[in-house]
Amino acid sequence: MTSIKKIPNVLGTRRSNTLDQEREQFEKAQEASFKKATSDEEMPLKMKHVRNLIIGTFTDKNADLFWRNVGTTPPINTDVTAWKFCHCLHIMLRDGHPNALRDSHRHISRIKDTGQHFRHLTHGYGRLIKRYCELLVAKLHFHQHYPRFPGTLSVTPEELEALAENDANNYFELGVEMLEYLECILNLYEAVFSSLDPSRANSMTRSGQCRLAPLIPCIQDSSCLYDCIVRILFQLHKALPTDMLTGHRTRFYKQFEILKQFYNNTRNLQYFKGLIQVPALPEDPPNFLVEAELRSHETPVVVVEEQPDMPDTSDMLLIDTSETEPPPIPPHPNLNESHNGSLVEVVAERESLIEALHRELEAMRAEVQHARSEATHNEDQMRLRVNDLESTIAELDSELLAERQSKESIMAQVEAAAASAEAVTLLAQEETRRRSAEEKFVKMKDVYQKLRDEHISLIRGKAELDKQLTVEKEAHHATQQEKDAAASALAKLQAQMTFESQAHLTDTELARQEKESLCSRLQSLTSEREHMSGQIKMLEENLSHLNNKMDSQAQQDAAKLMAVQNEWEVGTQQCVQGAVDGAVLVLTHTLSHFDHDAHTDIKCTPEYSLSYQNIVIESLEGLAKACEDYQINFHAAPRLITCITTSSHQVASFLLYAKATSHASPNIEIAEHLVCALEEFAKSSVDTYKKLQRKEDSVDISSLTEQFERCCLLVSQCEDRSPGEEDVALAVEREMDKMETAIKDAVERFTAMLENSRAKDTGTQLEVNESILGTCSDLMAAVRQLVRRGAELQKEIVDSGRGGASPKEFYKRNHRWSEGLLSGAKAVAIACQALMTAADQVVSGKGKFEEVIVSSREIAASSMQLVMASRVKADRSSEKLRNLNATAKTISTLTGTVVATAENCRDKIAIANTLDFSKLSLHHTKRMEMETLVKVLETEKHLEEERSKLSELRKHHYKLAGEIEGWDQEVGATSEFGEQEMIDF
């Protein structure tokens, strides 16, 4: 049987055209538009739904309905709905009714909560929502501070001057607010563009457009803000100094570059070309220091095109709350009638209807689940509220109990204070409590008066309701049921009013009784107060008598104390003078040992002398503190005497040990400076102690400490940091002998290898071996000659007395030069061994010619290091130096010969080992060509890697050698001389 609801609406529905029904339809339409605008489908916001919401704000002249829909349908279900809600709210604040901004101020906390809810979301729209919520909050705060600005921010220059009242202070604050507003817009732009791919290819997808759509109102706001900021800054530069506005200019120039980038990026996107005309900013920002540039400033104009409405594919996914009836089921078609369509069309229509019903069912399930979650949330909130109320009641009970206990304790104290002077204080406290009770009574009286006024207003409201009911009875006789309901509501209201009046009367009676009890208590306290006043007068008389007696006794005691104190101060001063005399005597005796002949034979290490550094510094600091205390108070004299005695003995010990350290110093000049510094320090110490004896205020212990630290620095420089003379001298001789032996062995080995090669090799191999071994033998002979001439040059340097009278003293005084010489000798020996090994491997057919090349070049470099180390201390006009330079040039020439010979022999071997390709086919030839090409590429890559590795190894080797050999500590003159020698060479 067909239901009545499913009968086609042929006769029409009888609907009343009342204001309530129109309002209900309007609210349902607004709710549907809001749900469709903030759907969870990732696509741009549809402007037709937003226009309906904007029209709703103008209809109601407020935004209460919009925020009520936000409360019933929270926008924090998904990140997409929250993002679209922010976009919708932004447009509504711009183009909606002016009161929408005022009504949205109360919901700033909701916007902040939405941003905080999604700020931890690392993917999707989380970071974008946080930035957008910050922008909306900044916009609401701006309009709250400046309510005369419209939501679009579009004002003329005359209106801007009127808003700022042409005041520099107002311009200054307005400029700061606008810069912060513009910064929030630019932060949102950077967040949106950083979430897109670098090519911006997804700008034409629905998800990309969903992200980019909110930038349209941002462009509109930023253009107006830019124009206002420019005009404000020009006005500020007219009225204020330019230095004061440096921060404004710097911040604006930074935002100008980002804003220009914002406009350029959005202008180039295909999505924005049909929606908005983005303005173009000038190449350079305006110069606010030139007032004439304001005339050339052009206001950026933004033109928003009418956005086409896309097909609403999400309408079927939302629940139409305006109609509670299910969709009508179409009648079953007559298969016999051809005009009703084929069976296939009917089946397709039924399937589409079933799918729509399934979708509606899923949506209803989601709505039920949401309602359940909301009910659970409300229940939790109510439970928390109940807990808070219970805790508040418990706190009030505890406070009441504490108040009662305090009251009982005060009564006990008042009764016990009958014979004590503290009764006055308790009486004052009780008087304070009485006043607080009177204040409470007055407050309760005010509350009663307020409730009475409310009662009167409710009675008047009742009278007005009676009039309205009378009018309703006369106007609508058919609404008897509504009349009964109103009567019952009126009865409930009267009962409530009666109950409230009874409660008010009860409270009034309680307040009156409490006032009577307080008045009786006040009378008793007043009588007690009079009794206490009499006792206080008697106690004051006794107290004055005792005070007079104590004053006379105190004067006598003060005179005796003054005499004793004078005697004690005289004795204390004599003790201090005796301690100072003893300290001066100790230091004078110490200075007399400086010129004593027996003391010159005493030597001490710098380490032991420096062990007194912390001890002496602590004693001097203690002496300074004791001196300050003694100048303030004589009672600090014992500690001053102790500090004078201790510091003088410790300073004397340091002077003796430091003088003994100067005897062992290898540097006579530093030793002389140390002795002079010690004598000055001793004399300054004696002067300081004498000032203490005279109790002068200008005792400067800090200068004495500085002189002591200078003495310690000179003591540390007396340390012999050079290596042992015996070790360095022996090491130089040993390394020179080992180097000459290694070169001699290498020459003999090359000769033996050449003889063996001539005996067993023939042809190309014999020619290659003879060339390699011959050139290597010549190079070794030249290196051997270089070593000999270098040894002769060193002997000449030592004999000529440059730097020392003997070889041991020479190496001791020039240990860094000796270390360089040792390093060069070791490097030459190692390079010769490497060249010998490489040549042996090449002759035997197991080695590489590249090893010979590298070894020969290493010999040249090491030989140059040895030459440079020898030339540093040599006389430039020396004959042996010229011979050494000639031998070094010969080594360089022979090294080039070895390298050329090795490369030539490598080519010969390669030509000799060339394959015979005459028997290869085309396929085999092509395959071998490709394999060879692959090997060539691999070899080139391996060559690049090895070169990089060689560079890093050289850097590391140079670093380690510098740390070991001390190159970074070489004297500047030596390095300059060495560079000049290298240039000459």
Side-chain angles (χ1 to χ4, degrees):
M1 182 176 180
T2 305
S3 174
I4 296 177
K5 294 183 179 180
K6 297 181 180 179
I7 297 176
N9 190 6
V10 178
L11 300 178
T13 304
R14 184 179 181 182
R15 300 181 182 269
S16 59
N17 191 15
T18 62
L19 295 177
D20 294 338
Q21 290 179 349
E22 291 180 359
R23 182 63 185 180
E24 183 179 359
Q25 293 296 329
F26 171 72
E27 291 179 356
K28 289 182 179 180
Q30 289 290 306
E31 183 179 359
S33 298
F34 180 78
K35 289 182 178 179
K36 292 178 181 179
T38 59
S39 64
D40 58 352
E41 187 176 1
E42 193 172 6
M43 59 181 296
L45 193 66
K46 294 186 178 180
M47 294 307 300
K48 64 179 182 179
H49 304 315
V50 182
R51 283 195 296 269
N52 292 336
L53 297 176
I54 293 174
I55 292 172
T57 60
F58 280 96
T59 302
D60 291 346
K61 295 182 176 55
N62 56 52
D64 293 340
L65 182 58
F66 174 82
W67 285 106
R68 192 159 61 248
N69 291 330
V70 173
T72 56
T73 308
I76 60 173
N77 293 332
T78 62
D79 54 346
V80 177
T81 58
W83 176 250
K84 297 173 75 173
F85 160 72
C86 294
H87 186 192
C88 178
L89 178 59
H90 194 180
I91 298 176
M92 192 268 291
L93 294 177
R94 277 184 51 82
D95 302 330
H97 195 273
N99 292 335
L101 289 167
R102 181 198 63 195
D103 297 336
S104 299
H105 292 161
R106 301 189 298 268
H107 303 277
I108 289 178
S109 60
R110 186 192 297 271
I111 300 172
K112 291 182 178 179
D113 293 341
T114 303
Q116 293 294 325
H117 181 77
F118 288 97
R119 67 187 179 92
H120 297 298
L121 189 65
T122 57
H123 62 281
Y125 293 84
R127 190 164 62 92
L128 306 184
I129 294 171
K130 179 178 178 297
R131 293 295 187 185
Y132 212 160
C133 290
E134 292 176 354
L135 171 59
L136 295 175
V137 171
K139 182 176 181 66
L140 291 174
H141 283 315
F142 177 79
H143 287 286
Q144 186 177 12
H145 295 163
Y146 304 97
R148 297 172 61 185
F149 269 92
T152 58
L153 300 174
S154 178
V155 293
T156 61
E158 293 78 11
E159 293 174 347
L160 183 62
E161 291 182 1
L163 288 171
E165 300 177 357
N166 202 13
D167 187 5
N169 295 326
N170 296 338
Y171 276 125
F172 192 90
E173 295 178 0
L174 182 59
V176 173
E177 294 279 351
M178 286 190 170
L179 287 171
E180 292 179 355
Y181 190 177
L182 182 59
E183 186 174 359
C184 293
I185 294 176
L186 299 178
N187 291 337
L188 177 61
Y189 146 70
E190 292 177 348
V192 170
F193 269 72
S194 63
S195 65
L196 301 175
D197 58 7
S199 63
R200 309 290 188 264
N202 55 1
S203 63
M204 295 307 294
T205 61
R206 298 178 68 180
S207 61
Q209 292 175 1
C210 183
R211 295 171 184 261
L212 293 172
L215 295 182
I216 295 177
C218 292
I219 294 174
Q220 294 174 297
D221 287 351
S222 61
S223 62
C224 297
L225 289 173
Y226 168 76
D227 181 56
C228 292
I229 292 171
V230 170
R231 297 185 184 278
I232 287 171
L233 289 179
F234 272 112
Q235 293 294 335
L236 287 175
H237 280 77
K238 290 180 182 178
L240 298 177
T242 57
D243 297 339
M244 188 181 298
L245 301 172
T246 303
H248 281 65
R249 290 196 302 272
T250 304
R251 190 174 183 183
F252 173 77
Y253 291 151
K254 182 180 179 181
Q255 292 183 359
F256 176 81
E257 298 297 331
I258 303 176
L259 185 62
K260 185 168 66 175
Q261 182 184 4
F262 176 24
Y263 287 171
N264 293 335
N265 291 338
T266 52
R267 190 184 300 110
N268 296 331
L269 290 179
Q270 185 66 29
Y271 172 66
F272 290 102
K273 291 183 179 179
L275 299 179
I276 186 173
Q277 294 182 8
V278 183
L281 298 181
E283 289 295 329
D284 298 324
N287 187 2
F288 301 108
L289 303 179
V290 180
E291 185 178 355
E293 287 202 8
L294 179 59
R295 293 190 293 271
S296 62
H297 169 68
E298 296 181 1
T299 302
V301 180
V302 181
V303 180
V304 179
E305 305 292 342
E306 185 66 25
Q307 300 186 19
D309 293 332
M310 299 176 63
D312 196 356
T313 59
S314 63
D315 291 347
M316 61 182 63
L317 300 178
L318 298 175
I319 301 173
D320 190 4
T321 58
S322 63
E323 185 65 39
T324 58
E325 298 179 358
I329 301 176
H332 188 74
N334 189 2
L335 299 178
N336 297 326
E337 296 180 1
S338 59
H339 65 276
N340 289 334
S342 62
L343 180 61
V344 176
E345 294 178 353
V346 174
V347 172
E349 185 177 359
R350 287 298 180 91
E351 289 180 353
S352 63
L353 181 59
I354 291 170
E355 291 178 358
L357 291 175
H358 277 299
R359 287 192 294 270
E360 185 178 358
L361 180 60
E362 292 295 332
M364 292 178 68
R365 287 178 179 175
E367 186 177 4
V368 169
Q369 184 67 26
H370 176 68
R372 288 179 180 176
S373 62
E374 187 174 1
T376 304
H377 177 70
N378 293 333
E379 183 180 357
D380 294 339
Q381 293 293 329
M382 293 300 294
R383 187 179 295 107
L384 293 175
R385 180 61 179 167
V386 169
N387 294 335
D388 292 339
L389 291 175
E390 290 178 354
S391 62
T392 304
I393 292 171
E395 290 177 359
L396 291 175
D397 291 339
S398 62
E399 290 179 359
L400 180 59
L401 181 60
E403 187 69 22
R404 289 177 180 176
Q405 293 177 355
S406 176
K407 177 181 177 182
E408 294 175 357
S409 63
I410 290 172
M411 293 297 295
Q413 291 176 2
V414 170
E415 293 175 358
S420 175
E422 297 178 356
V424 179
T425 306
L426 295 176
L427 184 62
Q429 294 178 357
E430 191 62 25
E431 182 69 18
T432 305
R433 290 184 178 276
R434 183 186 65 78
R435 291 177 183 175
S436 63
E438 289 180 356
E439 291 175 358
K440 289 182 180 179
F441 175 75
V442 172
K443 290 181 181 178
M444 292 180 67
K445 185 177 180 181
D446 295 336
V447 171
Y448 169 73
Q449 185 66 28
K450 183 178 180 182
L451 293 175
R452 183 174 177 275
D453 296 336
E454 290 178 357
H455 179 66
I456 293 172
S457 64
L458 289 174
I459 292 174
R460 291 176 180 174
K462 175 181 175 299
E464 292 177 0
L465 288 175
D466 292 337
K467 293 180 182 179
Q468 292 179 1
L469 287 174
T470 304
V471 173
E472 290 293 333
K473 287 178 182 179
E474 294 175 357
H476 302 285
H477 299 283
T479 58
Q480 188 63 31
Q481 186 176 1
E482 294 181 0
K483 176 183 176 182
D484 297 337
S488 61
L490 181 60
K492 290 181 180 179
L493 182 60
Q494 290 176 350
Q496 184 178 1
M497 291 171 61
T498 304
F499 176 76
E500 290 179 355
S501 62
Q502 291 177 357
H504 296 336
L505 293 174
T506 304
D507 293 338
T508 305
E509 185 65 25
L510 292 175
R512 186 181 62 79
Q513 293 176 0
E514 186 175 358
K515 179 181 178 182
E516 292 177 355
S517 63
L518 290 173
C519 290
S520 61
R521 186 176 178 183
L522 178 61
Q523 292 177 359
S524 63
L525 291 174
T526 304
S527 61
E528 291 178 359
R529 179 181 178 182
E530 293 176 355
H531 178 68
M532 293 297 175
S533 300
Q535 293 183 355
I536 289 171
K537 290 180 180 179
M538 184 176 64
L539 291 174
E540 286 179 351
E541 292 176 357
N542 295 332
L543 182 61
S544 61
H545 178 69
L546 292 174
N547 287 334
N548 295 330
K549 186 176 180 180
M550 289 176 62
D551 290 339
S552 61
Q553 187 66 29
Q555 291 176 0
Q556 295 176 4
D557 294 341
K560 293 179 181 180
L561 181 61
M562 185 63 68
V564 174
Q565 186 175 1
N566 291 333
E567 293 178 359
W568 182 80
E569 288 181 355
V570 171
T572 301
Q573 185 68 25
Q574 291 177 356
C575 292
V576 173
Q577 291 177 359
V580 170
D581 293 338
V584 172
L585 181 61
V586 169
L587 293 177
T588 306
H589 182 68
T590 302
L591 285 175
S592 65
H593 283 73
F594 278 23
D595 300 330
H596 202 280
D597 297 335
H599 191 269
T600 56
D601 297 334
I602 300 175
K603 295 183 180 180
C604 181
T605 60
E607 292 81 2
Y608 187 78
S609 298
L610 291 175
S611 64
Y612 276 84
Q613 182 175 3
N614 295 330
I615 299 173
V616 175
I617 289 176
E618 291 177 359
S619 63
L620 292 177
E621 291 176 354
L623 179 62
K625 184 64 171 63
C627 181
E628 293 177 359
D629 296 341
Y630 176 68
Q631 291 175 355
I632 297 172
N633 189 0
F634 271 98
H635 293 283
R639 184 169 177 269
L640 177 63
I641 294 171
T642 303
C643 292
I644 292 173
T645 306
T646 305
S647 61
S648 62
H649 283 81
Q650 291 173 354
V651 169
S653 299
F654 173 76
L655 292 173
L656 291 174
Y657 288 121
K659 183 65 171 65
T661 302
S662 65
H663 299 159
S665 174
N667 195 325
I668 299 175
E669 184 178 358
I670 294 176
E672 292 177 353
H673 288 310
L674 176 59
V675 173
C676 294
L678 291 174
E679 292 177 351
E680 292 178 359
F681 173 61
K683 292 178 181 178
S684 299
S685 300
V686 171
D687 295 339
T688 301
Y689 288 133
K690 289 182 179 179
K691 290 180 180 179
L692 289 175
Q693 185 178 7
R694 295 190 298 269
K695 197 179 178 181
E696 296 183 1
D697 296 336
S698 59
V699 179
D700 189 7
I701 304 298
S702 60
S703 61
L704 190 64
T705 306
E706 293 177 358
Q707 292 181 1
F708 173 72
E709 291 178 350
R710 181 172 177 271
C711 294
C712 292
L713 179 62
L714 293 173
V715 169
S716 63
Q717 293 178 358
C718 291
E719 184 179 0
D720 188 7
R721 296 185 177 87
S722 62
E725 55 188 16
E726 296 292 335
D727 296 339
V728 175
L730 293 176
V732 172
E733 294 177 2
R734 184 172 59 254
E735 288 299 328
M736 298 297 288
D737 295 338
K738 287 173 62 177
M739 180 178 58
E740 185 175 1
T741 303
I743 296 172
K744 181 179 179 181
D745 295 338
V747 172
E748 294 175 357
R749 182 71 181 275
F750 280 133
T751 304
M753 286 190 293
L754 183 58
E755 294 296 332
N756 293 332
S757 177
R758 289 174 179 174
K760 65 178 182 179
D761 296 328
T762 58
T764 304
Q765 186 65 33
L766 178 60
E767 183 180 356
V768 168
N769 294 344
E770 287 181 349
S771 300
I772 291 294
L773 295 176
T775 54
C776 290
S777 299
D778 296 337
L779 179 60
M780 285 297 181
V783 172
R784 187 176 182 183
Q785 185 179 7
L786 176 70
V787 172
R788 291 177 179 174
R789 292 184 175 180
E792 294 174 357
L793 181 59
Q794 293 174 30
K795 185 177 179 181
E796 181 183 3
I797 293 171
V798 174
D799 294 338
S800 62
R802 291 175 60 87
S806 63
K808 293 180 181 180
E809 186 67 18
F810 178 83
Y811 290 127
K812 176 182 176 181
R813 295 289 186 179
N814 303 275
H815 60 91
R816 296 197 181 280
W817 177 81
S818 303
E819 290 173 359
L821 191 63
L822 283 172
S823 177
K826 292 178 182 178
V828 171
I830 294 172
C832 291
Q833 293 290 338
L835 179 62
M836 183 180 64
T837 304
D840 189 9
Q841 294 290 332
V842 168
V843 170
S844 61
K846 300 178 182 179
K848 299 179 181 179
F849 290 94
E850 288 79 6
E851 295 178 355
V852 176
I853 295 173
V854 171
S855 300
S856 60
R857 288 175 177 173
E858 188 65 25
I859 288 176
S862 303
S863 302
M864 183 55 63
Q865 179 182 354
L866 184 62
V867 171
M868 295 305 300
S870 300
R871 291 169 58 187
V872 169
K873 295 294 182 180
D875 189 2
R876 303 189 68 176
S877 60
S878 174
E879 181 67 24
K880 294 181 179 180
L881 178 60
R882 286 195 292 271
N883 295 335
L884 184 65
N885 291 334
T887 307
K889 292 180 181 179
T890 303
I891 290 176
S892 299
T893 304
L894 291 176
T895 300
T897 304
V898 172
V899 172
T901 302
E903 291 177 352
N904 189 18
C905 293
R906 181 181 58 189
D907 296 335
K908 288 183 180 181
I909 294 297
I911 294 172
N913 295 332
T914 303
L915 297 176
D916 186 12
F917 302 115
S918 59
K919 297 181 180 180
L920 295 177
S921 63
L922 177 62
H923 176 71
H924 289 160
T925 304
K926 185 63 177 178
R927 181 178 178 182
M928 187 173 292
E929 179 183 358
M930 294 175 64
E931 291 176 354
T932 306
L933 182 59
V934 170
K935 291 181 179 179
V936 168
L937 294 177
E938 291 177 352
T939 305
E940 290 177 353
K941 182 178 179 182
H942 185 66
L943 177 61
E944 292 178 357
E945 293 176 352
E946 292 299 321
R947 283 177 175 173
S948 177
K949 183 178 179 181
L950 176 61
S951 177
E952 295 298 326
L953 285 173
R954 283 178 174 173
K955 292 179 181 179
H956 188 63
H957 174 235
Y958 184 83
K959 180 180 179 182
L960 292 178
E963 293 175 354
I964 295 173
E965 304 295 341
W967 295 346
D968 54 344
Q969 300 178 0
E970 285 292 324
V971 183
T974 304
S975 60
E976 183 179 357
F977 179 77
E979 290 176 1
Q980 185 64 36
E981 290 291 338
M982 179 65 77
I983 294 171
D984 296 338
F985 184 80

